[in-house]
Amino acid sequence: MHSQRFYTLSGSCPDQIGIIARVAGFIAQHRGWILESSYHADDGNGEQDGRYFMRMEVKAESLPFHLAEFRERFRPLADELSMDWKISDSAVKRRVVIMVSKQEHCLYDLLSRWQAKELDIEIPCVISNHDTFKALVEWHGIPFHHVPVDPDNKAAAHAEIRRIYEEVKGDTMVLARYMQILPADLCDSYPGQMINIHHSFLPSFVGARPYHQAFRRGVKLIGATCHYVTRELDQGPIIEQDVIRIDHSDSIEDMVRYGKDIEKAVLARGLRYHLEDRVLVHANKTVIFR
């Protein structure tokens, strides 16, 4: 990450000749200084044509205009390339709303990284269906919203979550072990904004007590997956994954502890990739520029 202010231009388009030349040429035409660039050409799979993915960081002070004018000037070129694209400003902190239930490890980790400025974000609030962590969150100076969810009030609860998210102007929602299924309409409202973490036993070990199921089957790897939330449960585009090896000497308690450790690390990395616009998605496939 550069210490100076920069803009991040990222996007994808059908693969063709001259993409880099035209985009870099546009930036050079306006005396823009490219600090970092990454590219990837996907050949397709026989069912889809090839896709080109790109990410550029441009020194903000090198351009003679701000983002609004950049968007207006760049849009005709992007349209010619049929490009899905966005541009962000490193000086604008993302507003991350954290959602949690009764498992604390991911919440603790995100708050610690935020407090240490490892995650340079704003946390306008934490939402939970339990009040277990109210004192902890408010001790950090962050508003806490207790939104209970039960079979009789799910619609009202989900409407309240939407209201809070909109009210605080959130642009990213992190499900830090939030153990409720969000409705399809809520997921559809914020594509590419909602991030979840789960153990990589899914879908092999679904339901309650997955580590107990895995222990009985003698698994040799513990893992975690960070992904975007879609209306298809746990089927959204994958952002980050990792595993650690275990053996017969590890107990269920050991497995749970290892699982929590890797979930924290994978969620933090996945969130960072998202915040830095290093994740590009097309047709449910992700390209990650690390």
Side-chain angles (χ1 to χ4, degrees):
M1 180 72 73
H2 307 288
S3 58
Q4 56 201 319
R5 181 183 178 188
F6 60 89
Y7 299 143
T8 301
L9 173 65
S10 60
S12 70
C13 62
D15 201 0
Q16 56 198 281
I17 295 172
I19 299 171
I20 298 175
R22 297 188 67 182
V23 174
F26 169 85
I27 294 172
Q29 174 188 344
H30 299 289
R31 303 193 62 79
W33 186 329
I34 297 175
L35 297 167
E36 178 181 313
S37 59
S38 303
Y39 311 100
H40 172 70
D42 189 298
D43 293 334
N45 56 12
E47 299 177 0
Q48 299 175 344
D49 294 332
R51 192 86 180 168
Y52 201 78
F53 299 84
M54 55 163 285
R55 178 184 184 276
M56 290 183 175
E57 293 181 1
V58 182
K59 187 186 295 187
E61 65 181 21
S62 69
L63 292 169
F65 40 69
H66 296 296
L67 281 191
E69 187 171 348
F70 184 102
R71 291 187 178 101
E72 288 301 314
R73 289 173 178 260
F74 185 72
R75 186 170 290 111
L77 173 57
D79 290 344
E80 289 180 27
L81 296 171
S82 299
M83 179 179 289
D84 298 324
W85 64 284
K86 62 180 178 179
I87 187 166
S88 60
D89 185 346
S90 67
V92 178
K93 292 185 179 183
R94 303 290 181 91
R95 295 177 63 79
V96 178
V97 173
I98 300 175
M99 299 184 65
V100 65
S101 290
K102 284 188 172 181
Q103 296 186 43
E104 75 288 345
H105 55 290
C106 288
L107 173 65
Y108 281 16
D109 186 69
L110 292 176
L111 291 178
S112 174
R113 293 175 189 271
W114 166 76
Q115 195 166 41
K117 299 191 183 303
E118 292 178 24
L119 286 173
D120 191 21
I121 60 176
E122 293 182 4
I123 304 178
C125 68
V126 171
I127 302 173
S128 179
N129 55 322
H130 300 279
D131 61 4
T132 310
F133 303 117
K134 177 179 172 65
L136 169 73
V137 171
E138 293 181 343
W139 182 85
H140 283 82
I142 299 171
F144 181 90
H145 297 278
H146 179 210
V147 183
V149 180
D150 60 55
D152 297 325
N153 81 333
K154 284 189 176 182
H158 296 146
E160 178 65 2
I161 290 170
R162 183 193 294 272
R163 185 196 67 77
I164 294 169
Y165 187 70
E166 294 288 343
E167 183 178 83
V168 302
K169 296 181 171 59
D171 53 47
T172 300
M173 185 185 297
V174 177
L175 278 60
R177 301 303 288 162
Y178 181 72
M179 307 306 290
Q180 293 289 324
I181 298 175
L182 298 177
D185 65 308
L186 187 62
C187 298
D188 292 345
S189 296
Y190 307 110
Q193 293 187 40
M194 303 169 71
I195 295 174
N196 190 24
I197 184 71
H198 66 64
H199 52 80
S200 279
F201 297 134
L202 292 173
S204 297
F205 301 104
V206 298
R209 299 162 69 87
Y211 289 100
H212 292 71
Q213 298 177 55
F215 180 81
R216 289 195 296 269
R217 291 287 298 277
V219 300
K220 299 300 182 282
L221 292 172
I222 295 288
T225 296
C226 176
H227 66 92
Y228 287 115
V229 176
T230 63
R231 59 167 51 209
E232 292 81 21
L233 181 63
D234 292 329
Q235 298 298 312
I238 293 171
I239 304 171
E240 177 65 346
Q241 293 178 300
D242 207 349
V243 296
I244 56 174
R245 183 166 291 280
I246 61 172
D247 61 30
H248 59 276
S249 66
D250 292 305
S251 67
I252 293 175
E253 291 73 21
D254 291 331
M255 292 170 64
V256 172
R257 185 174 70 254
Y258 300 154
K260 287 182 177 181
D261 285 345
I262 200 165
E263 284 173 10
K264 291 186 294 185
V266 170
L267 178 58
R269 288 203 302 269
L271 177 58
R272 180 169 60 83
Y273 295 155
H274 167 79
L275 297 173
E276 295 177 2
D277 293 321
R278 296 183 181 276
V279 187
L280 299 180
V281 182
H282 180 72
N284 214 43
K285 177 180 179 180
T286 52
V287 170
I288 313 294
F289 292 122
R290 291 182 171 84

